[in-house]
Amino acid sequence: MNDSELSIRSGALAGKRVTLCVSGSIAAYKAVLLARLLLQAGARLEVVMTRGASEFVGAATFSGLTGRAVYADMFSQTSAGEKHVELAAESELVIIAPATADLLARLATGRADDLTTALALCATCPLLVAPAMHPSMWSHPATARNVTALERDGRTRLIGPVFGQVASGDHGVGRLAEPEQILDAAAALLGPSSQPSLVGRRLVITAGPTVEELDPVRFLGNRSSGKMGFALAERAAVLGARVTLIAGPVALGTPRDVTRIDVQSAQEMRAALWRALGADLSRADALIMAAAVADYRPAERTPQKIKRSSAELTLKLTPNPDLLAEVGAARTGTRPLLVGFALETDAANLVALAREKLMKKSLDLVVANLSEQALGRDDTSLTLVGPNDSLALPELSKRAAAERILSWLHGKLTEPT
């Protein structure tokens, strides 16, 4: 995380009293990274460890970072008071990261059999919980019931888990959210006044590639990972928007509180887009078209697999509809706001090409970047291009870049119409 990203969070976290609770998961090492980020953002940090956490990371590590004692046992503290009560009263935010399946079960049933659960039960401040476990444990009905109970109570905000490889080498949803994601969520909980509110706004966001089938086993596609569109959807939901995410084929977990529609081809994305927007475009306040929609598709799809031969193979391609241009042409007023993306390879003419796209498609903003600075990466360098101006952003994570785009969107949505 660079200085530009950290400054975004510092306003929300500086001087805030945060208690970080670490439980017994192999992902506990990431809690050390989270502690460091919280301290860099200016938080006043206390650390609580469960007995199981000490099997994976030492208390001396956290103590060395914070310069303070680490709490582990309700009954062995030197203070005269009840430590869970003291910490609950002092904390402005309690973060549990990682939270094991066992800990989720104890939280959901109101157990208070160690310092972490007693603190969580006693706290009246926001409680941010980041689960981590094997995908089979996360998908088990018992875990689902516990998560539902926590969400229904309305006292707990969950962040993750996310799709990825876990310690066993298996892949699935169960991996701890990255420390930067947890930091983002903490900043959103503690600093709503410092971030743009999108409460009540309806956003449609597209993400990822589209694929166009040649035959039952082959397709034309592109290298879009979908990370930028998913980051926009995640951050917009955190800021209170009602988000519909139309996603091409990507291996990314659905952000919390986001309605996801999966599609394959440009034609499928087109149909989903118009259903989400409505024929008169009245169902959305803004459309952010981050998807890399295929420009062409095969003129014919072969029903059987094309067999290899020594002869040359010629493919006839036909243009796909320009989805964003269609929406721009159909818009009669200033809503929905239309944000497009321009992925280019010509650095010298990046802004000019983006502005040409903006004018041609009747857009409000084009987010321009170079292919080598975006495709498949977790960070990016963007330039926001409007009709008369442009703003080059420093290199940011895609989540931080999403915040900047949504900040612009918030400003436009609050302008008098």
Side-chain angles (χ1 to χ4, degrees), residues 202-206 242 244-246 261 269-289 322-331 335-339:
R202 300 163 299 168
L203 270 60
V204 176
I205 300 172
T206 67
R242 292 163 52 193
T244 299
L245 174 63
I246 303 174
I261 302 170
M269 183 168 284
R270 181 193 199 188
L273 187 61
W274 281 103
R275 284 196 299 270
L277 295 172
D280 59 356
L281 307 181
S282 64
R283 295 179 184 169
D285 296 296
L287 166 64
I288 304 178
M289 198 79 180
D322 189 326
L323 308 190
L324 192 51
E326 286 182 347
V327 176
R331 185 176 63 167
R335 297 291 185 272
L337 290 174
L338 300 180
V339 178

Side-chain angles (χ1 to χ4, degrees), residues 20 26-27 31 37 44 53 59-60 62 71 77 119 140 150 185 228 252 273 282 289 296 347 377:
L20 172 62
I26 198 168
L37 290 175
R44 296 165 55 190
F62 291 106
Y71 301 105
Q77 310 303 330
L119 166 60
H140 194 282
L150 289 170
M228 188 70 246
L252 297 172
L273 187 61
S282 64
M289 198 79 180
Y296 296 90
R377 294 179 49 170

Side-chain angles (χ1 to χ4, degrees), residues 55-193:
E55 299 292 331
F56 297 96
V57 64
T61 301
F62 291 106
S63 183
L65 280 173
T66 64
R68 303 177 65 83
V70 172
Y71 301 105
D73 191 337
M74 285 193 293
F75 306 108
S76 63
Q77 310 303 330
T78 57
S79 60
E82 297 177 291
K83 200 63 209 177
H84 63 290
V85 177
E86 293 178 6
L87 285 172
E90 294 168 357
S91 299
E92 295 173 84
L93 173 66
V94 173
I95 303 174
I96 303 179
T100 62
D102 176 72
L103 184 51
L104 289 179
R106 290 189 286 131
L107 290 172
T109 54
R111 295 277 293 276
D113 49 1
D114 65 4
L115 182 55
T116 294
T117 52
L119 166 60
L121 197 63
C122 199
T124 57
C125 65
L127 178 62
L128 179 63
V129 176
M133 64 199 72
H134 190 275
S136 297
M137 299 174 74
W138 175 252
S139 62
H140 194 282
T143 303
R145 287 195 300 271
N146 293 330
V147 169
T148 298
L150 289 170
E151 292 178 329
R152 186 172 58 242
D153 289 344
R155 299 283 299 274
T156 303
R157 168 86 183 179
L158 273 75
I159 174 75
V162 299
F163 182 92
Q165 185 176 16
V166 295
S168 64
D170 295 329
H171 287 76
V173 178
R175 182 182 175 92
L176 181 70
E178 292 303 316
E180 292 83 359
Q181 292 176 267
I182 301 171
L183 186 72
D184 283 348
L189 284 171
L190 287 180
S193 62

Side-chain angles (χ1 to χ4, degrees), residues 358-412:
L358 181 141
M359 303 304 294
K360 182 178 179 180
K361 301 187 180 185
S362 302
L363 308 181
D364 299 291
L365 181 74
V366 169
V367 181
N369 56 1
L370 298 172
S371 59
E372 65 268 22
Q373 297 175 339
L375 288 176
R377 294 179 49 170
D378 293 323
D379 54 10
T380 187
S381 296
L382 301 176
T383 300
L384 307 185
V385 180
N388 304 306
D389 58 358
S390 64
L391 173 64
L393 302 180
E395 183 173 305
L396 299 168
S397 74
K398 288 184 177 178
R399 288 182 181 83
E403 290 178 357
R404 301 293 290 271
I405 296 167
L406 294 171
S407 179
W408 175 91
L409 190 71
H410 170 262
K412 294 295 289 186

